[in-house]
Structure formats: structure tokens, C-alpha cells
Amino acid sequence: MSTRVTHAPSLEGQTRIAVALEHQNQLLAAIANGSASAEFVDATFAALLDDTNTTEIFKIWWPLSETEGQTKTDRLNRWFTMLRNDKTYGVEFHAPEVSGDTFGAYTDASAGLTCELSTDTVQGADTLDEHRAFWWMRVNAIEIDEQGTLDVLYHEFEPGFDPTGEVAPVYTVQIAPYIQRYKTDTKLVCKLRTMPQIGFHSWVEGRNPDGTQRAFVAHAAYGAGLDTNGYYTSGAGKRPLIRTSYNAALSAVKKGRQYQTIWQTHDQAWLLLMWQLRHASLAPSGQMEGCLSYNYQYLAALGEENTRRVLLTPAQAANIIVGCAVEVGETGMQTDTDRSAAHNYDLADCVQVAGKESITIDGTEYVAVVLDIPATITTTTTTRISTMPWWSGSTDSVLGRGDGSRGSNTNGRYPCRCAGIEFLQGCYRIAAGEQYQYAEGPDGSSELQQYACTVQGSEASSITSAYVDTGLRLYATEAGWLYIAEMDDTYDGVLFPKAAGTGSGSSYLRDAFYHYGRSSGLSVPWLAGRLSGGGSGGLVCVYGCHGSGYADWDGAPGLSRRCWRGELTEN
């Protein structure tokens, strides 16, 4: 998706755009004779913004914003500074002690707004998408220093932008906000502002190392994949980096781009923050499932030689979606259906389905699942085809700029998008930034202790001096899934359940945390869930038992922009 469809601005917004076009001609003349400063240009267009015309105003402002000596990053800093205003957006939820209801209510400037989900055929009503506090845009950018400074090469509304991430990784940028969270006897409250105010603090990703506020935050728009140079990138049409361990990702991500880091728990926490503020529900489960119920494995109905397809019965093939990914293996006498077993992917590993064709052979009807593979294979009736995590970019077909999934938001088969970021593609997202230390707890229970890395880029496979003890704990008497009733908000960007084991798949946050239930050992977070995760998976799902060297088909890293946690200040 190289461009995005937008909702039509209001009549007032259209008038402002017409005024902007008039100003454009006047400013061009002023710029030509050197009488228009950057401050004058910005002030002119900032005054025309009305939260229905942000995209169109940006398109007119951008070519007029060019100033000698300024980079595109400098100009985007100006733009997001222009977007700041004195509005507060908020949501209120029931306190978990009062109700397990997942849904809340908009407050403040959010009252009266709508944010319905879209698909590739139905565009939901969304009056929030042009509001400057939530407006997002994709850019090609590279981190150029330890502070996380981005060198922006292109944005998506100009020639040269590359959604595949070959030019540079694709990040989604949005204004760096100020946040307020608090709890009363009856309510959980979350509010966002674009300007400071007493009681609000800068979101962790919006802070520079010196404590100053960034103009915008940036998050990888897609899960990580490899570009043609073998570098980690974020872009559409990339195979997920499955079978990659946390340890391997920490080193491989820096190849060619030394300041890149892998997806962090604070990136996942940002998604949760955006979902709650955009949709007034605690988590997407039940509304936008992601790829959590797409677990199909079939033996070929008929074998073929020198082919690029697998023949299935029509009923079986109906469950295989064109564009999804599959693995194919010759099982022979093997009966193990685990996707990590080599005999289940020795013919093709996580390749895309190019199409489906109905054919009849000797009077029997089959459907050929056509594979996008470079060389032919030979299949038999012991050849197994299995669904796999999606390649990146399926959400690019979602209509408009809103949140949603390609084919359906609720059938559990498709990746989804929130705030311009794609996630839940059928595999866990391996995250950095935190380590889980298991220890013996009271009364023989297992105590999970959480440690957080304070300097992004210093993540390790053990708890080093760069990590601090958050003081957050989770207890269990045995290994298993614990449904989450409440998330802890002691620290920004630290994703951890405050109350787990009392929720369910249809109440509170609807997702679960897997507690290993052991008395020693380290693990790293695996987030969101895999294509067979079902009800336990979702935006706040965490699988907390894999060590840093573990790799499998159901986990892959992502990319992250560096942020500064400092000494992990409490909210």
C-alpha cells in the first residue's frame, strides 16, 4: 500500500483546505523572494488544522516546508510540533474489583468519536483517524545513533517511499504524547494529551536521553524480515524470521545497521495504549482476533511429480487462504505433526500460497494449492501441508487509515493493524527489554521476578548491570495459562500483569500469561500468541517460559526504535 484512502474532511475542513491552497500560492511567491520564514509557514498551516483535514494539510505543507540545512527528520519534528493542541482524550473502564466488563467509555475530547474496524471490503466509520493526537504516517528511516535518532529518507506521500523496506525499514510515526493513568474504587482511567499538563507525564518512548520531549514516536510498521542485503528490515512482503532465537536476533539485527534493536515490550505496551484510547476496550480480543485460529494440516489427496502445488480435497482447500503461508514436507512413515519437525517442512518452509485451482483427475475433483516456490517438488499422499505465520503486509489492503484486518476481524485467520502497526501474524513476537527470573516463592509456589533493561541496545542473554529489578512479581503453584484481569501500570512500557488467574477468555483483558511454574531459571517474553493460540492469545498475551537461546517455527523477532528508560521511573 503506497497510499492511504482517507475519509472526506468536513465542510469546514474542506474550506480550510481551499484556504490552504490559496496560501500555498502566496507562500510560494514569498518563499521565492525570501520573505517567508519556516516559522511563518508552520504557523500559517497550523492555524488551518481542524482534526478532519490533517492528511491534506500535511500534503500541502510538506513541499513548502523545505528549508536550507534541514533534514526530513527536522521537518517532521516541525510538523508534529505543529500538531500539538490543548485537547485531552480519555477512556474510562470499570475497576477489575467492580466488573470484568472489557468495554469502557470515551471521555473528554474522545466523547462522540467513533473508531470502527475495517476490512479489505468494508470501511468502518472512523472519526478519529484525522485527529492530530492519533494521526499516523509511515516513513522509510534508519537509526543513526545510540539515542535513537532517525534519518528519515521518505514518507509515504512522496515519490520514493518503499513499503517493502528495501530502501530502509518502514516505521509508523505519531505524535509523542503525555499520559495520565489512575485508578479509583470503581474506575480505571487513561488519558492522553499532546501538550504537557500537571498530572500528565511524557510517555517513555517520547523522551530523549537528556529528558527533553521528542516530537514524535516511531514503531516498526511490520514484523522483521530480511532485505536483499540480508539486513533486518520492516516492510511489506517479507517472510517472518521464524526459527530465530532471542540471542541470534540480538546480534543479527545489528548487521549493516549497528543501532537497530529488536521489538521491545514497550512497543507492545504502546499498541495496548493506542488500542484502549482508540477503541475504549481493554484489549482487542473479541473484536480483532488476529491470526490465532488458523491451525490446519493436511496430507495431500493425490501426489504429483515436478510440481509447484499440493492437491487437496475441496473441503480441505477451502481452509487455505490465498496469500497465506504454508510449509510442505514429505513425512514418509513419520506421524509427528509438529511444524518444527524437519519432515514437515523439508520441501518448502513458510512459503506463500499463490492461488488455488479446481481440477478433475480420473473423475475426482481436487483443488490445487499453488505455491510461490522457485523450483518444483514431488508430492505423495504422505506429503503434509501446514498453515504457517503470514508474511508481512496483509493489512495493507485494509480500507482507509483505520484499524482492522484483511478478510475478517473476528474469524481468527488474519493479521491485524492498530495505529498503523501490523501484529498478530500467526507467530509470537520475541521481545527484548525484559528478563524473567524464576525463583522459589512462598509456600512452595513459583515466583516470577521481572527485570527491565534501562538502556535500549544493552539487552543481553542474562541479567546484567544494565537491568534493574522492577519489583513486579507473579506467582503460580504450577505451570499453566493465567488469564489476565488487570495490567500493571507502575512503569510506562513495562508489559506485566498485575492480577492474573482470575480473568477469563471472555472478561477483563481476555488474554493470558503462561507462567512456567518452576523454581529457577531465566526466560524472555514471547508476545501475542501463535496461529493455534485461540483464546489465550492476543495483544497482552505473554508466553513466559522460553530461554534466550530457544528458537522454533512459532516465534519471530521484530524491530524497535531506541528509547530511553533511564532508571525506570515510576509513574
Side-chain angles (χ1 to χ4, degrees):
M1 183 176 71
S2 58
T3 60
R4 290 203 304 267
V5 178
T6 61
H7 295 302
S10 65
L11 289 175
E12 181 182 359
Q14 293 174 12
T15 300
R16 289 173 180 261
I17 291 170
V19 172
L21 290 170
E22 292 180 11
H23 283 313
Q24 182 182 36
N25 293 328
Q26 296 169 6
L27 286 168
L28 283 172
I31 291 170
N33 62 33
S35 61
S37 66
E39 292 77 13
F40 178 75
V41 173
D42 295 353
T44 299
F45 286 98
L48 299 173
L49 291 163
D50 69 354
D51 289 330
T52 72
N53 59 8
T54 308
T55 301
E56 293 305 316
I57 293 295
F58 174 81
K59 290 178 180 179
I60 300 170
W61 171 84
W62 180 258
L64 301 175
S65 69
E66 190 168 359
T67 301
E68 186 177 355
Q70 284 200 333
T71 65
K72 290 185 178 181
T73 305
D74 296 330
R75 292 160 68 189
L76 285 183
N77 285 332
R78 288 166 49 195
W79 169 253
F80 283 102
T81 300
M82 288 166 56
L83 293 187
R84 298 192 183 278
N85 64 7
D86 200 27
K87 290 183 179 180
T88 299
Y89 297 84
V91 291
E92 290 183 354
F93 303 101
H94 295 293
E97 294 84 0
V98 174
S99 172
D101 188 358
T102 301
F103 299 95
Y106 292 115
T107 66
D108 303 282
S110 296
L113 298 179
T114 58
C115 193
E116 296 177 4
L117 296 174
S118 300
T119 67
D120 56 353
T121 57
V122 178
Q123 184 167 334
D126 187 350
T127 56
L128 180 143
D129 69 356
E130 287 290 310
H131 277 249
R132 63 196 80 181
F134 299 97
W135 186 84
W136 56 266
M137 177 176 67
R138 298 176 303 160
V139 300
N140 290 125
I142 298 174
E143 287 189 88
I144 57 174
D145 58 31
E146 293 181 349
Q147 285 70 46
T149 304
L150 288 180
D151 179 15
V152 175
L153 305 181
Y154 299 100
H155 63 72
E156 66 176 292
F157 300 119
E158 65 178 335
F161 174 71
D162 172 27
T164 71
E166 287 292 327
V167 167
V170 181
Y171 289 92
T172 299
V173 294
Q174 187 175 320
I175 197 167
Y178 297 86
I179 301 298
Q180 180 188 66
R181 298 189 210 239
Y182 62 90
K183 182 179 179 180
T184 71
D185 291 341
T186 60
K187 297 177 181 178
L188 290 172
V189 179
C190 180
K191 297 189 178 186
L192 175 148
R193 286 178 53 81
T194 62
M195 295 178 67
Q197 181 171 292
I198 294 175
F200 286 73
H201 65 274
S202 173
W203 176 255
V204 61
E205 296 165 316
R207 293 193 291 268
N208 289 306
D210 62 2
T212 57
Q213 178 78 352
R214 284 175 169 171
F216 62 88
V217 294
H219 300 88
Y222 308 93
L226 297 180
D227 64 19
T228 53
N229 294 313
Y231 300 163
Y232 272 37
T233 193
S234 159
K238 301 301 183 188
R239 180 185 183 274
L241 296 173
I242 58 171
R243 311 187 203 280
T244 301
S245 71
Y246 166 91
N247 287 346
L250 281 183
S251 56
V253 71
K254 293 179 171 60
K255 178 184 176 182
R257 295 175 182 142
Q258 61 176 314
Y259 298 111
Q260 286 189 162
T261 56
I262 69 171
W263 186 260
Q264 304 273 315
T265 46
H266 66 68
D267 293 299
Q268 199 81 359
W270 171 262
L271 275 173
L272 178 60
L273 175 72
M274 285 298 104
W275 174 267
Q276 292 179 344
L277 285 163
R278 294 166 72 90
H279 295 276
S281 66
L282 288 170
S285 293
Q287 299 164 269
M288 190 169 68
E289 291 291 340
C291 185
L292 292 173
S293 302
Y294 191 47
N295 181 26
Y296 297 100
Q297 296 181 283
Y298 301 115
L299 293 177
L302 186 68
E304 293 184 300
E305 294 184 352
N306 301 319
T307 185
R308 288 185 173 86
R309 64 190 191 182
V310 177
L311 299 182
L312 298 178
T313 68
Q316 292 170 335
N319 289 321
I320 307 298
I321 302 170
V322 174
C324 80
V326 296
E327 68 175 17
V328 181
E330 180 49 55
T331 66
M333 300 297 292
Q334 302 288 336
T335 59
D336 184 0
T337 60
D338 191 337
R339 290 169 174 81
S340 63
H343 61 260
N344 284 318
Y345 64 89
D346 58 7
L347 297 180
D349 185 14
C350 198
V351 300
Q352 289 184 292
V353 173
K356 293 192 292 187
E357 302 170 350
S358 296
I359 60 174
T360 300
I361 300 176
D362 295 333
T364 301
E365 184 180 353
Y366 301 95
V367 174
V369 177
V370 182
L371 308 176
D372 185 3
I373 53 178
T376 61
I377 58 176
T378 295
T379 65
T380 72
T381 53
T382 56
T383 298
R384 179 175 287 117
I385 183 171
S386 308
T387 53
M388 290 290 282
W390 286 72
W391 288 35
S392 61
S394 70
T395 60
D396 283 3
S397 62
V398 174
L399 298 179
R401 302 182 60 249
D403 302 341
S405 306
R406 187 182 108 181
S408 166
N409 285 299
T410 56
N411 68 10
R413 297 185 175 197
Y414 297 94
C416 45
R417 180 177 76 191
C418 177
I421 304 167
E422 184 174 275
F423 62 107
L424 280 169
Q425 65 189 104
C427 56
Y428 289 96
R429 188 162 289 185
I430 302 171
E434 293 166 19
Q435 294 269 359
Y436 298 146
Q437 171 75 63
Y438 285 93
E440 185 174 349
D443 302 321
S445 65
S446 172
E447 179 185 74
L448 187 153
Q449 307 167 351
Q450 190 194 49
Y451 290 77
C453 186
T454 59
V455 181
Q456 195 165 339
S458 298
E459 299 84 5
S461 58
S462 61
I463 298 173
T464 67
S465 60
Y467 288 77
V468 297
D469 185 353
T470 65
L472 303 180
R473 301 290 187 265
L474 187 64
Y475 299 92
T477 56
E478 60 185 18
W481 287 103
L482 303 173
Y483 274 97
I484 301 167
E486 183 180 0
M487 296 301 289
D488 196 284
D489 63 357
T490 304
Y491 309 98
D492 273 349
V494 173
L495 197 73
F496 199 75
K498 184 175 184 178
T502 56
S504 73
S506 59
S507 63
Y508 302 99
L509 282 102
R510 303 189 180 199
D511 302 344
F513 187 106
Y514 191 90
H515 195 298
Y516 206 177
R518 58 184 178 179
S519 59
S520 65
L522 283 174
S523 65
V524 294
W526 283 37
L527 306 175
R530 63 183 185 178
L531 51 78
S532 58
S536 61
L539 184 54
V540 294
C541 163
V542 182
Y543 196 74
C545 74
H546 287 325
S548 60
Y550 182 80
D552 209 345
W553 70 269
D554 59 345
L559 283 185
S560 177
R561 179 198 184 185
R562 294 188 183 216
C563 80
W564 188 256
R565 290 189 181 189
E567 292 304 313
L568 208 65
T569 304
E570 292 188 11
N571 292 334

